Amino acid sequence: MNTILSIANGLYQYHKGKQTGLPGLIGILLALLTVWQWDNILPILHKLGIVNFFDKIGLIYDEPYMTGFAIFSFIFKLVIVYCGLVLLVLAIVLLMAVLFNNEKFVMYVLLPIMILVSIPIIYIFVILDSIINWKKHKQYNEELKRKEHENRMLELKSMYEIVLTKNPALKELFEQHSTEIKKEEAFIRLNRLPMYGDDLYVLGFSNFGEPFILTPRPLNVENDNFKKRELSCCAFRIAYKHQEADTKTTYSTNKFAIDWSVSDVGIYSFDTFDHFFITNNKEMERAFDKLNKVLEIEIYNEQKKYFTSKNKLLDDISNAETKEAFESLVKQMDKFDVPNDGVVSMMMANERSTGV
């Protein structure tokens, strides 16, 4: 019986040691190792017939998440059954220990049996404990990120309000002569090929407190000038032509003085901006038209690079040697899904045919 009590004490000490998190860390490492080497593990499972066995008993589905859930449920049921059998074995072992009361018998027969039946349970609890701790840690990180995002939004809102308060002309432009749109809508409007004469630009307010004119380009396409989600933007300054102007008077087409230059044009990430506007203000529309003319060479280069990249990808798709390579390349075509692709292509073809 002393041996049995020693085993129980050992299990108690294990439970205390588990609080340090080392078994949980081991469980996480084992899980990461399994994911990392899954491509090597799967063929072994096929050879052992485990995959075929799971398929025969109806655990394999077309959707991976359904397969994972079915296998997890199956293993969970097995664990419950196994725990029941272990409890039964332990009860029998304790009964035999009481009946025989022989230390050698306990040491060389009962103790190995208890260890063998206990190891899988300990391993299962270690994995479950690591999963629970990982989930708690993940939830904590998500909550921390959410709070940081909320605090950042409050800071940006304060910055936006402060800038508009200091610049009543910008405030009037945004609030009376423009319509604020969501970030998703702004992305859709800007994710197109730039064109000569296409000056339907978007106004943006940056996260460092400046207003910009945002010009379009395929935001999912990279080239040697732009990374994904980058575009040409022009900072501008706005004031009333007559500082004593009454902002409540009838709108005049000569109300604002808008100032910008070529040096104000730069490349920025779309995610630099937190507020987006479309405007019908005449002064801003004239600024858009002027900027479109200034960017004429950039527009030509952007169109040329876009179709060069797209045609190269189409050639790669045509020459793909395996199904996997073909499917991977086809997925990459999604980034060339811009609304005016066909129009620009026809215009470029017409220019080539007429020699313009």
Side-chain angles (χ1 to χ4, degrees), residues 6-274:
S6 297
I7 294 170
N9 182 62
L11 291 173
Y12 172 73
Q13 293 299 327
Y14 163 77
H15 178 73
K16 287 182 65 179
K18 188 177 68 169
Q19 302 304 318
T20 63
L22 180 60
L25 179 61
I26 294 172
I28 292 173
L29 291 174
L30 288 172
L32 291 174
L33 181 63
T34 301
V35 172
W36 178 46
Q37 292 293 326
W38 181 247
D39 290 339
N40 297 323
I41 294 172
L42 187 59
I44 297 174
L45 298 179
H46 273 290
K47 289 182 180 179
L48 293 175
I50 294 175
V51 175
N52 290 334
F53 171 72
F54 282 166
D55 191 23
K56 286 180 182 179
I57 62 177
L59 298 181
I60 305 297
Y61 293 84
D62 292 334
E63 297 83 2
Y65 72 91
M66 286 296 296
T67 300
F69 179 75
I71 293 174
F72 175 80
S73 301
F74 177 73
I75 293 175
F76 184 75
K77 292 174 184 176
L78 285 181
V79 169
I80 293 175
V81 173
Y82 179 79
C83 289
L85 293 175
V86 167
L87 291 175
L88 180 61
V89 170
L90 289 177
I92 295 172
V93 168
L94 290 173
L95 180 62
M96 292 176 68
V98 172
L99 292 176
F100 288 94
N101 197 21
N102 185 303
E103 191 166 335
K104 287 186 178 181
F105 178 78
V106 172
M107 180 64 68
Y108 297 108
V109 178
L110 298 186
L111 182 59
I113 293 175
M114 291 184 68
I115 292 173
L116 287 174
V117 298
S118 299
I119 286 175
I121 291 181
I122 293 173
Y123 181 73
I124 290 167
F125 277 109
V126 166
I127 293 176
L128 291 176
D129 183 67
S130 65
I131 291 172
I132 292 170
N133 287 334
W134 172 79
K135 191 171 183 180
K136 288 180 179 177
H137 184 67
K138 182 181 179 183
Q139 290 174 344
Y140 172 77
N141 284 340
E142 289 176 349
E143 180 66 16
L144 189 63
K145 288 180 180 178
R146 185 185 65 80
K147 289 182 178 179
E148 288 177 351
H149 178 72
E150 289 178 352
N151 291 335
R152 178 60 177 159
M153 289 298 103
L154 288 174
E155 291 176 4
L156 293 174
K157 184 177 180 181
S158 299
M159 182 191 297
Y160 174 73
E161 292 173 348
I162 290 170
V163 171
L164 293 196
T165 301
K166 291 182 177 179
N167 190 338
L170 181 63
K171 180 180 176 68
E172 181 178 346
L173 172 67
F174 282 167
E175 295 184 355
Q176 297 184 31
H177 308 297
S178 305
T179 302
E180 185 165 8
I181 59 176
K182 293 183 177 180
K183 189 172 185 176
E184 295 78 10
E185 183 180 347
F187 187 93
I188 293 171
R189 284 176 173 269
L190 293 168
N191 185 36
R192 68 182 194 271
L193 281 164
M195 298 169 58
Y196 309 122
D198 177 11
D199 55 8
L200 297 177
Y201 296 160
V202 174
L203 298 178
F205 187 83
S206 71
N207 53 26
F208 49 86
E210 290 185 24
F212 281 81
I213 301 170
L214 312 184
T215 68
R217 70 166 298 271
L219 292 171
N220 292 317
V221 180
E222 291 184 351
N223 57 43
D224 52 1
N225 290 333
F226 296 92
K227 296 178 182 178
K228 284 184 179 180
R229 300 177 73 84
E230 285 188 341
L231 66 168
S232 286
C233 306
C234 179
F236 69 92
R237 292 153 297 281
I238 182 172
Y240 290 118
K241 285 187 175 180
H242 305 288
Q243 293 299 325
E244 69 277 7
D246 181 2
T247 59
K248 295 181 181 179
T249 58
T250 305
Y251 170 69
S252 167
T253 56
N254 296 312
K255 194 171 199 177
F256 299 119
I258 297 168
D259 176 50
W260 64 273
S261 66
V262 176
S263 62
D264 293 314
V265 179
I267 296 174
Y268 295 86
S269 168
F270 176 77
D271 299 307
T272 302
F273 304 94
D274 300 295

Side-chain angles (χ1 to χ4, degrees), residues 295-319:
L295 296 177
E296 185 172 341
I297 295 176
E298 182 180 303
I299 290 171
Y300 170 78
N301 289 333
E302 184 65 26
Q303 292 177 352
K304 184 178 178 181
K305 290 174 182 178
Y306 171 88
F307 285 106
T308 299
S309 298
K310 182 178 180 181
N311 292 333
K312 182 180 182 303
L313 181 57
L314 289 171
D315 290 340
D316 292 341
I317 292 173
S318 300
N319 298 324

